[in-house]
Amino acid sequence: MQIKETVNEGLKRAYQLTIKAGDIASKIEAEVKKIAPQVKMPGFRPGKVPANLIKKMHGEQLHAQTVNDVIRDSVDQLMKDKELRPAMQPKIELGEGYEEGKDAEIKVELEVLPTIEAPSTDGLKLERLVVPVADEAVDEAVQGIAGQNKSYKDAAKSKKAADGDQLIIDFVGKLDGEEFEGGKAEDAPLVIGSGQFIPGFEEQLVGVKIGDTKTIKVTFPEDYPAENLKGKEAEFDITVKQVKVETETKVDDEFAKNLGLDSLDKLKELMRGQLEQQTSGLTRTQMKRQLLDQLAAGHSFEVPEGMVNAEFEQIWAQLQQEASREENPQDALKEIQNERDEYRAIAERRVRLGLLLSEIGQANGIEVSAQEMSMLIQQAAQQYRPEDREKFVEYVQREPMAAAQLRAPLYEDKVVDFLFDKAEITEREVTQEELEAAIEADEAAEAEAAKKPAKKKAPAKKAAAKKAPAKKADEKKPAAKKAPAKKKAAAKKADDKPAEKKAPAKKAAAKKPAVKKAPAKKAAAKK
């Protein structure tokens, strides 16, 4: 293989690889010998089919596969010989006009990772904002659980059903006078106003009494999962068997036991733990931002443009999605468009921070174990249809870039935890509102910091080649706060997913349960 470097500018590299026609032909001959024992042809004993006939039968397929293998092996050899650390998947092209019997010209374009001096982990000072969980908050959480587990008792026979009442009904659904599959149920519970049934169903039952029969007309939503019911008008013959009214749920030991717990104290203990977990997540977010700000302030180096573009596209897609949900989408889209450069600066900052964290992790021997990686793959595979999960696992195992993207968040968390252990941390008690305000202030500060150049450090000696780093710094914001279309929205980050289009497709949306379901089999109109 001949290698010719055509571009060497900053982090950008380009090469032209030349594979001699004779080398390709030799590999094809070797492949023919390999498959010959398995080839069967009338008139020949197994394993005795002449090579020229095998080529005639399978030549085109053998040639295409061999060229693909040669390209892959040549690019791998290029990376090894030139000690290249690609930032992203290289762009590889087979020269135009290539055909069998000619030399193969391969163009390879890529960006390499910058050489970074491992940042010092000494002198880090962080403040941990701690939110004590008040007894009142625990009691409120318990009451919330009680509100989700309402109890009902039989109403008087003359009682007319109103919003909040529970009905026990039988129903039969019909399309054009004919019953349809899944449109019939007996003793189905329905709470008026709960939104369990399709629009228009519950509202027409306001005012009914025990023993009433009623026929109602509804229209199935256009996005209803059953194809034969989408947008169709239907009639439901309904018999009201019971009308029940809500009773006050007594929060005591018996209530806790109905939830599978030993006592009310155990329930409160569980709720306190959940509240502490929620606030500890916010605390970690705020501490992590402090840490990243300290790292970013002291380091400035060129970052791969492709990585910045990918990060910016994620930020921009999320901004546009959030803007589309605003009261005035056009105004929101215009606002973010005016600050496009600012969001790109944020993307660059995040890529730089990701590379810094990776360098720290590598310098200190931080790794994601094979067992942890296996768990990550299995968890990610659950996003796909059961029949596609095995394909996804194979894809991640085959594609190093996909595996790197999957491991990046866990790797980054490990590095952050390592730096927390090294830092000098002081604690301060605050309220939930003060903690959330601090996070919001950090989000605005991120945008300001992204505009300013970081303090440059003295050039370091060239470091030895290292493994590819985690993709980027995770600067997630708490979900409890709705971000406007400006600074706060940019602080969010899309979930890491395989970038390659080769991954199996997710299950079609139409096959997932809709938010509101129309009558289905047995409890047809329920969720």
Side-chain angles (χ1 to χ4, degrees):
M1 177 179 69
Q2 297 177 355
I3 302 175
K4 179 182 179 183
E5 186 176 69
T6 56
V7 175
N8 188 334
E9 299 174 357
L11 300 177
K12 293 183 178 180
R13 303 286 186 275
Y15 300 88
Q16 181 171 301
L17 313 181
T18 302
I19 313 298
K20 294 296 184 181
D23 293 338
I24 297 174
S26 297
K27 290 182 180 295
I28 293 176
E29 293 291 341
E31 189 64 24
V32 169
K33 290 181 181 179
K34 181 179 177 182
I35 69 172
Q38 288 83 42
V39 176
K40 295 181 181 180
M41 183 179 292
F44 296 94
R45 287 180 296 167
K48 299 298 182 179
V49 180
N52 63 324
L53 290 180
I54 294 176
K55 288 181 183 179
K56 186 174 181 180
M57 292 173 59
H58 305 286
E60 186 175 343
Q61 181 181 351
L62 284 172
H63 178 257
Q65 182 60 50
T66 300
V67 170
N68 285 334
D69 292 345
V70 165
I71 291 174
R72 185 187 64 246
D73 294 344
S74 299
V75 173
D76 289 345
Q77 190 63 43
L78 169 68
M79 301 300 164
K80 182 179 178 180
D81 291 350
K82 298 295 183 180
E83 297 184 346
L84 299 174
R85 299 188 302 156
M88 299 182 72
Q89 192 72 35
K91 180 182 178 182
I92 303 169
E93 292 182 357
L94 180 62
E96 292 184 9
Y98 172 74
E99 58 185 39
E100 188 173 358
K102 291 185 177 181
D103 294 347
E105 302 286 348
I106 305 165
K107 297 178 181 178
V108 182
E109 297 178 1
L110 71 155
E111 284 185 290
V112 296
L113 294 169
T115 299
I116 310 167
E117 179 185 6
S120 171
T121 57
D122 298 328
L124 293 172
K125 295 184 178 181
L126 304 173
E127 182 181 47
R128 180 185 285 118
L129 302 183
V130 180
V131 180
V133 176
D135 292 341
E136 293 80 2
V138 175
D139 291 340
E140 184 179 344
V142 171
Q143 288 297 331
I145 295 293
Q148 296 170 11
N149 292 270
K150 295 178 179 179
S151 300
Y152 296 89
K153 66 178 181 179
D154 289 339
K157 290 185 178 181
S158 59
K159 160 73 171 162
K160 293 183 177 181
D163 275 356
D165 291 343
Q166 184 188 63
L167 304 180
I168 305 299
I169 60 174
D170 294 344
F171 61 78
V172 177
K174 298 177 181 179
L175 289 176
D176 298 325
E178 298 291 331
E179 291 186 24
F180 59 87
E181 184 179 357
K184 184 177 181 179
E186 295 180 355
D187 296 328
L190 178 157
V191 176
I192 297 178
S194 65
Q196 291 176 291
F197 288 58
I198 62 174
F201 195 106
E202 297 170 16
E203 294 87 336
Q204 296 182 62
L205 296 178
V206 172
V208 299
K209 304 188 302 296
I210 296 175
D212 283 355
T213 58
K214 187 172 185 178
T215 298
I216 65 174
K217 294 182 179 181
V218 293
T219 301
F220 284 90
E222 293 292 342
D223 60 352
Y224 191 73
E227 290 292 334
N228 63 316
L229 299 178
K230 286 183 177 180
K232 297 288 183 65
E233 290 186 356
E235 289 186 347
F236 285 88
D237 296 331
I238 296 171
T239 300
V240 181
K241 302 175 79 171
Q242 288 179 281
V243 177
K244 296 173 175 282
V245 294
E246 184 182 345
T247 60
E248 182 180 354
T249 301
K250 190 175 181 181
V251 179
D252 54 13
D253 287 343
E254 190 63 31
F255 172 72
K257 289 177 181 178
N258 289 336
L259 296 176
L261 299 170
D262 293 337
S263 64
L264 179 58
D265 287 341
K266 287 291 184 182
L267 175 58
K268 289 184 176 182
E269 182 182 328
L270 178 64
M271 290 298 99
R272 184 179 295 277
Q274 290 184 1
L275 291 172
E276 287 175 347
Q277 188 175 16
Q278 291 173 11
T279 56
S280 66
L282 295 176
T283 295
R284 178 183 172 85
T285 296
Q286 202 272 337
M287 279 183 63
K288 184 175 178 179
R289 287 177 184 265
Q290 294 178 56
L291 172 66
L292 297 178
D293 285 345
Q294 290 185 39
L295 290 175
H299 297 84
S300 181
F301 50 85
E302 185 179 5
V303 294
E305 185 179 359
M307 294 181 73
V308 175
N309 289 341
E311 177 68 17
F312 173 74
E313 286 171 6
Q314 287 189 359
I315 292 174
W316 196 249
Q318 186 169 343
L319 285 168
Q320 289 180 312
Q321 186 180 42
E322 292 184 357
S324 68
R325 295 196 293 263
E326 294 290 328
E327 186 175 346
N328 296 305
Q330 294 303 320
D331 291 344
L333 288 169
K334 184 177 180 181
E335 182 179 6
I336 64 171
Q337 186 66 47
N338 290 338
E339 298 187 351
R340 188 182 181 94
D341 291 344
E342 181 178 319
Y343 292 121
R344 186 170 181 82
I346 290 174
E348 182 175 330
R349 179 178 187 265
R350 291 185 180 179
V351 171
R352 185 173 289 108
L353 286 167
L355 294 175
L356 282 170
L357 289 176
S358 177
E359 197 71 25
I360 292 170
Q362 292 172 36
N364 292 279
I366 298 172
E367 295 180 349
V368 173
S369 69
Q371 183 178 4
E372 290 171 328
M373 192 65 200
S374 178
M375 290 179 62
L376 285 174
I377 294 173
Q378 293 302 325
Q379 289 171 0
Q382 298 307 307
Q383 301 175 57
Y384 300 90
R385 297 176 296 187
E387 61 267 28
D388 285 335
R389 289 172 188 169
E390 186 175 346
K391 294 178 184 177
F392 170 79
V393 173
E394 293 174 354
Y395 161 75
V396 174
Q397 293 172 341
R398 186 177 67 249
E399 297 289 343
M401 287 295 182
Q405 287 181 332
L406 197 59
R407 70 184 280 277
L410 177 58
Y411 181 84
E412 183 181 295
D413 281 343
K414 286 191 162 195
V415 177
V416 168
D417 287 337
F418 168 80
L419 292 173
F420 282 168
D421 289 339
K422 299 280 288 184
E424 178 185 333
I425 299 175
T426 57
E427 289 192 356
R428 177 163 62 93
E429 285 193 5
V430 296
T431 64
Q432 175 108 1
E433 292 73 18
E434 288 173 330
L435 176 55
E436 291 174 355
I439 291 174
E440 289 184 16
D442 287 342
E443 289 167 0
E446 178 192 18
E448 291 302 317
K451 297 177 184 178
K452 301 175 183 178
K455 189 182 297 181
K456 292 190 177 182
K457 299 185 77 174
K461 293 181 180 180
K462 187 172 182 180
K466 295 184 174 67
K467 297 177 182 178
K471 188 177 179 185
K472 57 196 170 219
D474 179 6
E475 300 183 35
K476 294 179 181 176
K477 58 169 282 185
K481 288 280 182 180
K482 181 183 178 184
K486 206 172 180 182
K487 306 271 193 294
K488 287 187 282 184
K492 290 185 179 179
K493 175 187 109 167
D495 295 331
D496 290 307
K497 294 178 182 177
E500 297 293 327
K501 295 181 180 178
K502 298 175 186 176
K506 289 186 180 179
K507 185 174 181 181
K511 296 183 181 178
K512 297 180 180 177
V515 175
K516 295 181 182 178
K517 296 174 88 178
K521 202 169 188 178
K522 203 153 182 182
K526 296 188 297 177
K527 274 186 175 178

